């Protein structure tokens, strides 16, 4: 039994390889980008608009509202990163209903890549907002003694992000795989449904946590209690 | 479970490409469409608010104009009513004047008619009187009216004295024209000769006379010369007769015009 789609290699040439993780990621990317292109190609600025446009608008506005609720006052600035995170993880989970598909988020490489992106994006957004000095100063708050702990916190939460998503997605796929081999068909279907729910929740948690980290990085004036509490709540849920 | 760092790198690049593509093809167009719609809604709301304000202003203006119009209408109506009342009074006055004039004209016409009737009656009476007198004289006294009238006239002529006689004498003598003897009936030649003789003898002169017959003459015979006149008249008889007839006629003509005047005045006053 494969634990990760990384192990399914279609082509390899030295260091370069084409495994199921990358192929399925491209598939998801194609679906998302081509779907967006098809819908946004004939966007209506008028009051009357297509159902697909309504769906996309609902998704985009929903994401923006979530970002705003976390504490980011200019959601349009962060929606490309955070929204893409959510849509990618959600689409990766949603596609588990397709037979033969393995979610790329079930690969630790993918979740690590996403977590690394968050790890890099958080200081970039922080520096953009407060300047290099201002951002670095946040590591020494409230005292210089907190500097190593803050750095450890930064690394550990990235690791937690990667492992949390990987663990949830991998376990879901794994359980379905095991159940398929030992039980009749009905029970794996129920588990697939549960896996869909778990996947959507994970997508939400991953993007919201990224938003919370960015919100914490960009402004020290904002009450930190709200993002921290959200972070803690989400951790409790998982 | 080892991490495949090539896959990690590839997935990170894949994700960044996905971010760029979605930003290019999803978020930007959708947010642009939403912004455009929101702007349009805001514009339309502002436009609606402006239109509402305009409408309210126009409604107020119209209300004000309507009030003014009502006021003007009331004033014009009042003015027209006053003018109509004045015109009514004027027309009524004119109608009354016209009715009075018509009534007056009618009364004049009635008076004229009455006079004409009186004249006709007088003439007829005169004719009848002459006719009756002629017949009575012929039957009873075996004499003619013309003879008797001439005799009376001559007696009256001869009986003249004083200023009247001298004035007439002077007029007859000094007048260049012929003296005129008028009679209501045609005088026979004998009577004309008698009158000529009587005048010549009375005024002791040869007077040239001209005889004329005038049926309208009330008196029987008259002599005129340069404004002086002597006449035998039956006017006294006729006057008493006329008085009697006049009283009889006055009762009927007076009653009729009053009733007619009333019937003409009624439609105007109603």
């Amino acid at each position: 039994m494969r634990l990760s789609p990384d192990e399914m290699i279609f082509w390899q040439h030295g260091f370069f390889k084409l495994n199921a993780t990358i192929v399925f990621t491209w598939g998801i990317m194609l679906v998302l980008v081509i779907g967006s292109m098809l819908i946004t190609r004939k966007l209506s600025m008028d009051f009357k608009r297509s159902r697909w446009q309504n769906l996309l608008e609902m998704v985009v506005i929903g994401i923006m509202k979530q970002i705003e609720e976390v504490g980011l006052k200019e959601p349009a600035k962060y929606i490309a990163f955070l929204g893409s995170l959510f849509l990618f993880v959600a689409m990766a989970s949603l596609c588990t209903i397709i037979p033969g598909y393995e979610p790329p988020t079930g690969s630790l490489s993918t979740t690590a890549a996403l977590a690394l992106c968050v790890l890099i994006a958080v200081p970039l957004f922080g520096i953009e907002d407060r300047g290099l000095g201002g951002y670095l100063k946040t590591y020494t708050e409230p005292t210089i003694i907190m500097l190593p702990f803050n750095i450890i916190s930064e690394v550990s939460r990235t690791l937690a992000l990667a492992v949390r998503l990987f663990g949830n997605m991998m376990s879901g796929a794994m359980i379905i795989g095991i159940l398929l081999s030992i039980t009749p068909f009905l029970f794996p279907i129920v588990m697939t449904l549960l896996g869909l729910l778990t996947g959507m929740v994970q997508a939400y948690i991953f993007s919201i946590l990224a938003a919370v980290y960015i919100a914490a990085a960009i402004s020290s004036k904002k009450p930190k209690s709200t993002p921290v509490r959200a972070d803690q709540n989400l951790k409790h849920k998982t | 479970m080892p991490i495949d760092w090539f896959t990690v790198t590839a997935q990170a690049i894949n994700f960044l490409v996905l971010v760029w593509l979605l930003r290019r093809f999803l978020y930007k167009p959708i947010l642009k469409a939403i912004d455009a719609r929101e702007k349009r809604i805001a514009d339309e709301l502002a436009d609606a608010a402006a239109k509402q304000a305009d409408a309210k202003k126009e409604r107020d203006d119209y209300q004000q104009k309507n009030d003014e119009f009502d006021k003007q209408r009331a004033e014009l109506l009042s003015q027209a009513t006053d003018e109509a009342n004045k015109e009514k009074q004027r027309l009524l006055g004119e109608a009354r004047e016209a009715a009075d004039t018509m009534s007056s004209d009618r009364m004049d016409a009635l008076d004229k008619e009455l006079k004409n009737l009186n004249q006709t009656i007088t003439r007829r009476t005169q004719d009848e009187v002459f006719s009756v007198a002629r017949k009575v004289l012929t039957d009873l006294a075996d004499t003619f009216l013309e003879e008797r009238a001439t005799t009376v006239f001559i007696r009256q002529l001869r009986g003249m004295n004083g200023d009247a006689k001298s004035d007439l004498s002077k007029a007859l003598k000094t007048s260049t024209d012929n003296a005129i003897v008028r009679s209501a009936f045609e005088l026979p030649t004998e009577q004309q000769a008698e009158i000529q003789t009587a005048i010549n003898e009375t005024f002791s002169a040869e007077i040239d006379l001209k005889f004329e017959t005038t049926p309208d003459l009330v008196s029987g015979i008259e002599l005129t010369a340069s404004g002086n006149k002597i006449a035998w008249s039956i006017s006294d008889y006729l006057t008493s007769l006329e008085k009697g007839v006049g009283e009889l006629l006055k009762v009927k003509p007076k009653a009729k015009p009053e009733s007619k005047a009333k019937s003409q005045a009624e439609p105007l006053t109603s």
Side-chain angles (χ1 to χ4, degrees), chain A residues 26-221:
Chain A
W26 285 351
I28 291 167
M29 283 170 67
L30 274 177
V31 169
L32 284 174
V33 173
I34 290 173
S36 300
M37 282 172 75
L38 286 175
I39 295 168
T40 57
R41 191 179 52 180
K42 290 184 285 184
L43 272 184
S44 163
M45 305 286 179
D46 209 343
F47 297 121
K48 196 177 177 183
R49 50 200 186 270
S50 66
R51 293 173 186 173
W52 288 108
Q53 186 179 341
N54 267 335
L55 176 72
L56 277 195
E57 286 189 7
M58 281 165 67
V59 168
V60 170
I61 289 170
I63 294 169
M64 284 183 78
K65 279 190 177 172
Q66 288 297 322
I67 295 170
E68 204 171 2
E69 279 179 17
V70 168
L72 294 167
K73 295 298 171 193
E74 294 174 46
K77 198 170 160 185
Y78 309 101
I79 193 171
F81 183 74
L82 297 172
S84 301
L85 264 183
F86 174 77
L87 288 178
F88 177 69
V89 177
M91 186 57 80
S93 304
L94 200 66
C95 288
T96 51
I97 56 168
I98 300 167
Y101 168 83
E102 287 192 31
T105 44
S107 155
L108 188 61
S109 305
T110 306
T111 56
L114 295 179
L116 279 172
C117 286
V118 174
L119 180 73
I120 295 164
V122 168
L124 283 179
F125 281 123
I127 290 165
E128 187 198 29
D129 189 62
R130 312 165 67 137
L132 184 61
Y135 176 69
L136 290 177
K137 202 181 170 186
T138 57
Y139 283 94
T140 61
E141 285 175 352
T143 62
I144 191 73
I145 304 164
M146 293 300 287
L147 178 64
F149 299 106
N150 277 332
I151 293 167
I152 290 166
S153 163
E154 198 82 8
V155 174
S156 67
R157 76 186 184 189
T158 306
L159 190 66
L161 266 182
V163 173
R164 182 187 302 114
L165 183 59
F166 164 70
N168 278 287
M169 297 311 293
M170 187 271 288
S171 63
M174 193 70 75
I175 288 166
I176 293 164
I178 294 165
L179 286 174
L180 270 175
S181 60
I182 60 168
T183 58
F185 294 106
L186 279 174
F187 195 66
I189 291 173
V190 176
M191 287 309 292
T192 307
L193 283 173
L194 191 64
L196 273 178
L197 180 67
T198 315
M200 298 310 287
V201 171
Q202 287 307 315
Y204 177 74
I205 289 168
F206 197 96
S207 48
I208 283 292
L209 281 177
V212 168
Y213 298 153
I214 293 168
I218 61 167
S219 179
S220 62
K221 288 174 187 174

